[in-house]
Amino acid sequence: HSEAVLRRMTDALTHRGPDGEGYFWTSVPDGAGRPTGIGLGSRRLAIIDRALGHQPIHNAASTRWIVFNGEIYNYQDQRARLAADGYPFYTRSDTEVVLALYERYGEDCVRHLRGMFAFAVWDGPAGRLFLARDRLGIKPLYYTETGGTFLFASELKGLLASGLVDRAVEPRALVEFLGFYHVPPPLTMLRGVRALPPGTHLTCAPDGGPRLTRYWEVPVPPPWPRATDEAALARSLRARVEESVRIHLMSEVPLGAFLSGGIDSSLLVGVMSRLLDRPVETFSVGFVEADRRYDETEYAELAARHFRTAHTRLTLSDTDVLAALPRVIWGMDQPSGDGVQSYFVSQAARSRVTVSLSGLGGDELFAGYSQFLTLPRAEQWDPVLRRIPAPVRRTALAALRRLPPAVRERTRARHLADLLYGAGDFARRYETTRTLLRSWERIRLLSPALRAGLDDAEASDSRVREALGARRDLDVIDRLTYLELTGYMPDMLLRDMDAMSMAHSLEVRVPLIDHQLVEFVTTGVPPWLRVRDGIQKYILLRAFHDLLPEPIRTRRKMGFELPMPRWLRGTLRPTVDRALARETVAKRGLLDPESVRELQRAFYGPRGGSVSYLRVWSLVVLELWCRLFLDRAGPGVESVTTADLVA
């Protein structure tokens, strides 16, 4: 029975590893002497040691076994050292090196790894299971305990396929989703299922519960010196970025890069073009003529010409998204307001390569987002805001909350509310940059049944304040860098990128957040060299000034976005209306139908242009995710049409 469960779970992840499958099964006594089944299953995307690196991999005595997802970029150096000490390797794979390091160092093996990874080791002699996830959260890992059984997988789909996990929404995760349009770990949208946080490992024995340990976090910067050799720092940064890109090119299969035409992806492709002896395969997504204001392909094609890449441009329309909607939602694995773009650029890349590099992480590490400018300026207003008596601020904020949604959602009203809400409080002010709905708005959007149990739900600014801890007195740029690297980036961007790329059996690598590079920047590059005189990514631009074309160096940042506002008011509107119909929302029992209707009216009204489309789109995604993941008994998404999904 349990072996059948293991195979069902593994089969559900075939898209993550279409090149092979493997299983390990054994039985051991628990604390009372009763037999306990232990199983590992793997689906393999073969990139390194394609001939021999089949998983699970075992040690010489077949007493320890490992399943592994990711890439270890320093595995050859580690292998040479271990082999010199007599370790009997039987493959050339990085997976076996991870197991060898575990045999040598135990739980501390993770400290010797440079790369992206999620893996599990069954340690027979110790009678324990060891799970670990990489430092920045590039690769996912989920787990749950149910009915005396401990389960883990790279996606929720694998856990659901076991038939042992309740198909029910976690209310606390729903509250977080309504605010951040993603679910931050350790929560997942499934009740009872947890995400292993980045930089942690977990040990589980048959006669004991799981023990979670943090082994790495973004380092706290030192007191910054007044004098800095800017030129030397730029040279050192360039050398470290180039070295990170070089080790990320390790592959036995075709490899390319996403190219948006922004600073990060262009820089990445430029370095690749100098390291490879062939044109770089590059990929971008553009839109039909009516949606060109969202289109970056002019810059992507400029960079492609400059670096002489073999460039592929996918032109996307609203009808393409509508037709692919069931596969997009299924690929998400957890509901997210983002990720659709990643699905299609990954689809384009997989037509030519198996591995793609991405510039993801550059904005977080080098202060590329707008809040790296606006929040330092906002802090300068605090002395003025503090002169306004707190009762007056609270009264004004309460009045703004009572306004009708169509008025409350106007840009000026919302900015005023944000200013009053975050007065003198960095955590609250940061919350306004990363949330769609404030805490009170989320609670009001819940159904009465859920709201009753969550009236005292912890506000997200409290979570931000707790995350900052002793870092609350750091420079504002350092605080923002830490929050972006440990929140928005791993919880949404990396998670979505992994899910959407692996939906197409594509591996995506992110050289700009190699952990050694992150440590160098956060402890070695002063904040005033990340943003200087209003120039974001200042030190990165100086380091690569000769590499990037001038139009790309000086262009205004664009987000990697789709023309969703227009699409939701046009081709996708019938889908929205059916997914958020009053009777549908009421039957689902998660949200309040009238509050959902208010959001729709605000978005579709005459002043709807000031209302974020994500407020509507996130709710549509939530309903469609529930239909595919909670209402259906199994995958089979290939046969589901959009009409079926929203019928």
Side-chain angles (χ1 to χ4, degrees):
H1 170 73
S2 296
E3 289 185 70
V5 168
L6 178 64
R7 289 183 179 271
R8 285 203 305 270
M9 294 174 66
T10 308
D11 287 347
L13 302 183
T14 299
H15 55 282
R16 295 186 71 91
D19 299 331
E21 62 182 324
Y23 304 93
F24 162 74
W25 185 262
T26 191
S27 182
V28 299
D30 65 9
R34 295 172 300 222
T36 299
I38 305 292
L40 302 176
S42 169
R43 292 293 321 193
R44 187 183 182 214
L45 182 62
I47 293 172
I48 301 297
D49 193 9
R50 302 182 71 202
L52 299 175
H54 308 294
Q55 299 185 36
I57 279 177
H58 57 81
N59 64 354
S62 295
T63 56
R64 295 186 177 96
W65 294 74
I66 184 172
V67 286
F68 172 87
N69 176 31
E71 299 292 346
I72 304 301
Y73 303 116
N74 65 336
Y75 87 96
Q76 291 173 324
D77 292 340
Q78 295 286 0
R79 187 183 193 279
R81 187 168 56 81
L82 292 164
D85 290 341
Y87 193 87
F89 289 99
Y90 71 96
T91 76
R92 294 181 294 104
S93 71
D94 55 351
T95 303
E96 190 178 13
V97 172
V98 177
L99 182 59
L101 288 169
Y102 176 84
E103 293 216 277
R104 170 68 63 88
Y105 299 108
E107 294 181 356
D108 280 345
C109 66
V110 290
R111 302 183 187 276
H112 299 266
L113 302 176
R114 185 177 182 184
M116 57 180 188
F117 54 84
F119 66 87
V121 173
W122 168 246
D123 186 341
R128 66 185 181 188
L129 180 70
F130 177 72
L131 306 179
R133 190 176 177 204
D134 64 65
R135 296 167 179 84
L136 276 302
I138 304 167
K139 284 296 175 183
L141 189 53
Y142 303 101
Y143 66 94
T144 187
E145 290 182 275
T146 175
T149 300
F150 182 86
L151 303 171
F152 65 92
S154 292
E155 293 185 10
L156 300 187
K157 289 188 275 288
L159 297 176
L160 285 172
S162 71
L164 304 176
V165 176
D166 287 342
R167 294 176 181 264
V169 167
E170 167 57 59
R172 290 174 299 164
L174 177 59
V175 173
E176 296 285 4
F177 175 75
L178 294 177
F180 292 93
Y181 54 101
H182 65 266
V183 180
L187 295 172
T188 75
M189 195 58 84
L190 287 177
R191 189 170 61 200
V193 175
R194 292 292 176 263
L196 189 65
T200 63
H201 54 67
L202 181 151
T203 301
C204 184
D207 56 351
R211 174 173 54 85
L212 197 66
T213 304
R214 175 167 293 282
Y215 69 88
W216 186 89
E217 58 183 342
V218 176
V220 178
W224 295 110
R226 287 187 175 275
T228 304
D229 188 339
E230 186 180 314
L233 196 56
R235 289 193 298 271
S236 182
L237 174 61
R238 177 163 180 153
R240 289 171 182 269
V241 170
E242 290 174 340
E243 189 256 352
S244 179
V245 174
R246 178 183 59 78
I247 64 173
H248 280 73
L249 297 179
M250 172 187 74
S251 179
E252 295 176 12
V253 295
L255 175 146
F258 298 152
L259 180 58
S260 68
I263 291 170
D264 301 325
S265 67
S266 299
L267 181 155
L268 194 64
V269 169
V271 174
M272 291 174 68
S273 68
R274 295 188 176 190
L275 292 172
L276 296 174
D277 58 2
R278 61 186 184 278
V280 181
E281 293 273 3
T282 56
F283 307 91
S284 66
V285 172
F287 307 107
V288 295
E289 192 64 35
D291 299 309
R292 289 304 295 270
R293 73 186 183 95
Y294 292 88
D295 198 319
E296 294 187 90
T297 52
E298 171 190 350
Y299 292 99
E301 288 165 0
L302 185 156
R305 290 192 300 272
H306 184 80
F307 297 120
R308 299 180 180 178
T309 74
H311 190 62
T312 299
R313 176 185 185 269
L314 173 67
T315 300
L316 194 62
S317 71
D318 48 3
T319 55
D320 296 325
V321 173
L322 183 64
L325 201 51
R327 296 185 297 281
V328 170
I329 302 295
W330 186 248
M332 281 182 185
D333 199 51
Q334 285 204 82
S336 170
D338 199 34
V340 180
Q341 311 92 306
S342 299
Y343 179 92
F344 286 101
V345 74
S346 296
Q347 183 182 67
R350 192 60 175 95
S351 66
R352 298 186 63 85
V353 300
T354 308
V355 176
S356 183
L357 273 61
S358 165
L360 195 156
D363 287 321
E364 290 78 7
L365 189 57
F366 295 102
Y369 292 125
S370 61
Q371 53 262 49
F372 284 96
L373 293 177
T374 59
L375 288 189
R377 291 171 186 162
E379 290 211 336
Q380 296 173 1
W381 280 90
D382 278 344
V384 176
L385 289 169
R386 288 196 190 100
R387 294 194 190 107
I388 304 173
V392 174
R393 293 200 306 266
R394 286 196 295 269
T395 300
L397 186 58
L400 287 168
R401 293 178 185 177
R402 289 194 296 269
L403 291 172
V407 178
R408 191 175 66 235
E409 297 304 327
R410 294 176 189 173
T411 303
R412 288 183 180 177
R414 194 152 189 87
H415 283 176
L416 178 58
D418 289 347
L419 197 64
L420 293 169
Y421 179 67
D425 189 329
F426 173 80
R428 284 190 169 186
R429 185 170 285 136
Y430 175 77
E431 178 203 11
T432 67
T433 73
R434 281 293 175 218
T435 54
L436 288 173
L437 298 165
R438 307 296 171 256
S439 302
W440 70 86
E441 294 173 307
R442 295 177 231 168
I443 296 301
R444 187 169 58 189
L445 190 56
L446 294 175
S447 67
L450 288 183
R451 191 186 309 154
L454 291 168
D455 281 340
D456 60 347
E458 185 179 10
S460 56
D461 64 306
S462 300
R463 187 163 62 83
V464 172
R465 195 171 289 109
E466 182 180 350
L468 278 173
R471 300 169 192 255
R472 61 183 177 273
D473 296 324
L474 295 177
D475 179 273
V476 63
I477 299 297
D478 284 328
R479 277 177 273 159
L480 283 169
T481 299
Y482 174 75
L483 290 171
E484 293 295 295
L485 286 173
T486 58
Y488 178 69
M489 183 186 76
D491 300 350
M492 190 173 79
L493 298 184
L494 287 173
R495 197 214 69 83
D496 286 354
M497 180 61 77
D498 175 84
M500 292 308 208
S501 60
M502 294 305 285
H504 298 289
S505 308
L506 177 78
E507 177 174 281
V508 173
R509 300 175 181 176
V510 280
L512 294 184
I513 51 169
D514 168 76
H515 85 271
Q516 291 188 11
L517 180 58
V518 169
E519 290 172 347
F520 172 77
V521 174
T522 54
T523 62
V525 179
W528 59 84
L529 290 183
R530 283 173 253 161
V531 180
R532 182 167 180 173
D533 298 327
I535 300 173
Q536 297 172 269
K537 302 184 180 177
Y538 171 82
I539 191 67
L540 187 66
L541 288 168
R542 171 158 184 176
F544 289 93
H545 184 272
D546 63 307
L547 183 70
L548 295 172
E550 193 272 340
I552 288 175
R553 283 200 317 271
T554 58
R555 63 169 294 202
R556 182 178 63 86
K557 176 177 172 53
M558 286 178 64
F560 185 23
E561 295 185 1
L562 300 177
M564 291 299 287
R566 193 180 74 82
W567 292 356
L568 290 175
R569 293 184 175 95
T571 303
L572 291 177
R573 180 159 183 176
T575 300
V576 174
D577 291 343
R578 287 194 292 269
L580 301 184
R582 174 181 288 275
E583 59 275 16
T584 300
V585 175
K587 183 178 179 182
R588 181 65 61 192
L590 300 177
L591 305 176
D592 175 59
E594 185 53 39
S595 296
V596 171
R597 180 60 60 194
E598 282 184 3
L599 280 183
Q600 285 181 272
R601 281 198 293 261
F603 176 71
Y604 289 122
R607 295 183 177 271
S610 64
V611 178
S612 172
Y613 78 87
L614 281 166
R615 290 167 173 254
V616 171
W617 175 241
S618 295
L619 301 186
V620 173
V621 169
L622 175 65
E623 171 59 25
L624 300 186
W625 180 87
C626 287
R627 294 186 184 191
L628 281 179
F629 283 78
L630 306 186
D631 299 347
R632 294 174 59 83
V637 70
E638 297 82 5
S639 62
V640 179
T641 67
T642 301
D644 296 330
L645 188 59
V646 297

